[in-house]
Amino acid sequence: MLALPLASAGLGFYTSAFLIVANWGLMTYTALLMLEIHQHADQDATLNSLAKSLLGKPGQYLATFASFFLFYALCAAYIAGGGSQLTNKINDLLNAELTPQFGAVLLTIIIATVVSIGTHSVDIVNRVLFSVKIIVLALTLSLLFPHVESIHLLEMPVQQGLLLSALPVIFTSFGFHGSIPSIVRYVGIDIKTLKKVMICGASAPLVIYLLWQVATQGVLSQTNLMANNSLTSFIESLSSVLQQPQVSQSVSVFADLALATSFLGVSLGLFDLLSGMMKRANTNINGNNNDNYGKSHRIKTALVTFLPPLAFALFYPQGFITALGYAAIALVILAIFLPVAMVSKQRKAQASGYRVIGGNLTLVLASLMGCLIITSQFLQMANVIPSVG
C-alpha cells in the first residue's frame, strides 16, 4: 500500500484507481475459484494437495515451486526490513547500538511463536494489530485530506507504457491467495461464510488503497511523486509539503503494523503448506495418520518455515530482494493459472455444487490478464518499458 503512490505516480489518480479496481476484481474472482475447488476437497487440503489431485504431478510440482519461491522470498524480505525497523525502534528507546541482525532474529522469534501456537493465535493477534492499524491510518488520512488539491487528482498519465509497468505492483498488492487454505481449514468448508470472508477481505484493502491514493496523489503533484525513488523520500516529501512531522511518525507506525500483519499472514500460509507436506511424508513412512500434529511436529515445521528465510535475510539479503522482482510471476501462477486450470478440470468431473459466475469466458479473460502481468514483468526486466517496482 505504501508503495502504490510511487508505482502509479506517472499514471494520475483516475487511471491508477481503474487499475486498482480491475486487479481487485481479478483477485476476488480467482479467490472465489479457490473456494469452488475447496468445496470438494478435505478441509485441511493445501494448494499442493489440490494441484496434485486435479492436475497430477506436474501441477503439484508447479504449485510447490511457485509457493515456496513466493513465500520464502516474502518472509526473507519481511525479516530483513522488519528486523531493521525493530532494531531502530529499540535503539531509540534504550539508547543502544544493536545491529539489524538482532532485530531480525527477535522479530522472527516473535512471529514464529505466534504462528506455531496455531491459526487462532494468528487470528487474535492480527485482529488487534489490524484494529490499531486502522486507527493509525485514520489519523494519517485526517492529516492529509485537508491538503488534497483537486488539480493534482486530474493529472493524466505522462507515458502510456507506465500503464503496463504498474500492473505487477498493483496486482501483488491483492495477493492473499496463499493464505486461503489456512482460512478454509480455520473456518471450515462453509461456502456462504467463506464467500463473505473473501469478498470482504479483498474489499477492505480496496477501499483503503483508494483513500490512500486520494490522500497522497491529491497532496503531492505528479512531478513531486515521480521525483521520489524510495519510501523514505516519499514520506519526507509528504512531511515537508505539509510541514507536519506527525505525518512521518504516523506513516512509520503504520508501516510497522502493515509489515507485522503481512508477515503473519504469509508465514501462516507457508507454515500450513509445510505442515501438510510433512504430515503426509510422516504418514507414508510410519503409517501414522493422526490429525493432531503434536508439539514436536509444530516445532519442526516452524524451524523449516522460519530458518531458511532468516538465514538469507542475515547472510544474503540482496539475493531475496532481487527475487522479489519475480514475485508477481510466482503470484500469477498461484492466484490465476493454477485456480483456472483446477476449476476447468474439476467442472468436467463435478456437475453439482457452488460455481463462480461467468463460465468459461471469465476463465479465459483471467488467464489473459495473468499473461499480460507476466509479460509486463519481463518487459521491465528487459528495460523495454519503464520499471516502477
Side-chain angles (χ1 to χ4, degrees):
M1 172 190 146
L2 295 172
L4 280 178
L6 300 180
S8 60
L11 294 177
F13 170 72
Y14 287 103
T15 305
S16 62
F18 169 78
L19 282 182
I20 290 172
V21 173
N23 278 276
W24 164 80
L26 171 66
M27 296 297 265
T28 303
Y29 170 73
T30 57
L32 295 177
L33 290 182
M34 288 300 300
L35 298 188
E36 183 177 333
I37 297 165
H38 272 282
Q39 70 178 325
H40 299 295
D42 294 335
Q43 183 172 325
D44 61 349
T46 64
L47 181 61
N48 181 283
S49 62
L50 291 171
K52 181 181 179 180
S53 64
L54 290 168
L55 304 177
K57 287 288 185 179
Q60 180 189 20
Y61 294 149
L62 182 62
T64 301
F65 174 77
S67 297
F68 284 150
F69 183 91
L70 181 64
F71 285 158
Y72 276 129
L74 289 175
C75 285
Y78 290 144
I79 291 171
S84 178
Q85 291 177 218
L86 181 58
T87 300
N88 290 336
K89 295 288 191 300
I90 295 175
N91 285 341
D92 291 340
L93 182 64
L94 302 179
N95 195 25
E97 295 182 1
L98 300 173
T99 64
Q101 288 80 4
F102 173 83
V105 173
L106 179 59
L107 176 65
T108 303
I109 292 173
I110 294 171
I111 298 296
T113 301
V114 175
V115 171
S116 300
I117 293 173
T119 307
H120 183 63
S121 66
V122 176
D123 181 25
I124 294 174
V125 173
N126 242 10
R127 285 172 189 259
V128 174
L129 293 179
F130 187 79
S131 298
V132 177
K133 188 166 68 172
I134 292 298
I135 295 173
V136 175
L137 176 63
L139 174 62
T140 305
L141 293 178
S142 68
L143 294 172
L144 294 176
F145 266 105
H147 302 276
V148 169
E149 297 182 25
S150 59
I151 190 172
H152 294 331
L153 298 176
L154 297 175
E155 292 174 319
M156 301 298 291
V158 296
Q159 294 181 45
Q160 294 305 316
L162 290 175
L163 186 69
L164 195 60
S165 299
L167 260 181
V169 177
I170 296 175
F171 169 73
T172 53
S173 67
F174 287 100
F176 60 91
H177 294 60
S179 301
I180 291 178
S182 300
I183 296 171
V184 172
R185 182 179 171 187
Y186 183 53
V187 174
I189 303 179
D190 180 348
I191 297 300
K192 184 177 180 180
T193 299
L194 288 170
K195 282 173 62 179
K196 292 179 181 178
V197 170
M198 297 303 145
I199 294 173
C200 295
S203 298
L206 170 67
V207 174
I208 293 172
Y209 291 164
L210 291 176
L211 290 174
W212 181 243
Q213 291 291 98
V214 172
T216 54
Q217 292 187 312
V219 170
L220 296 177
S221 68
Q222 195 172 57
T223 303
N224 285 340
L225 270 176
M226 295 183 68
N228 295 292
N229 55 9
S230 70
L231 181 60
T232 301
S233 61
F234 167 59
I235 295 174
E236 289 175 353
S237 294
L238 284 175
S239 300
S240 176
V241 169
L242 302 183
Q243 296 182 342
Q244 291 181 322
Q246 300 96 320
V247 172
S248 61
Q249 295 170 2
S250 59
V251 172
S252 176
V253 173
F254 182 86
D256 294 339
L257 293 169
L259 186 144
T261 52
S262 297
F263 191 8
L264 280 169
V266 169
S267 58
L268 175 64
L270 177 58
F271 183 94
D272 282 350
L273 174 63
L274 286 167
S275 180
M277 293 176 66
M278 293 171 68
K279 174 190 171 186
R280 285 191 296 275
N282 185 62
T283 299
N284 293 335
I285 295 173
N286 302 320
N288 179 12
N289 195 30
N290 183 7
D291 286 337
N292 297 316
Y293 300 143
K295 185 182 296 185
S296 175
H297 176 85
R298 298 192 71 83
I299 292 175
K300 292 177 182 177
T301 305
L303 291 174
V304 179
T305 300
F306 291 98
L307 282 183
L310 175 60
F312 275 99
L314 291 177
F315 302 110
Y316 189 49
Q318 205 61 38
F320 264 88
I321 292 172
T322 302
L324 285 176
Y326 298 86
I329 298 174
L331 186 58
V332 166
I333 294 172
L334 292 175
I336 299 180
F337 290 161
L338 284 174
V340 167
M342 289 190 290
V343 161
S344 299
K345 187 71 177 291
Q346 183 170 272
R347 286 178 179 178
K348 295 177 182 178
Q350 299 284 349
S352 61
Y354 167 67
R355 283 198 177 192
V356 185
I357 61 173
N360 292 330
L361 177 60
T362 50
L363 294 178
V364 172
L365 292 176
S367 299
L368 291 175
M369 191 66 177
C371 291
L372 183 62
I373 294 167
I374 288 180
T375 300
S376 170
Q377 190 71 65
F378 280 124
L379 289 177
Q380 289 184 59
M381 293 174 184
N383 295 320
V384 176
I385 61 175
S387 177
V388 297

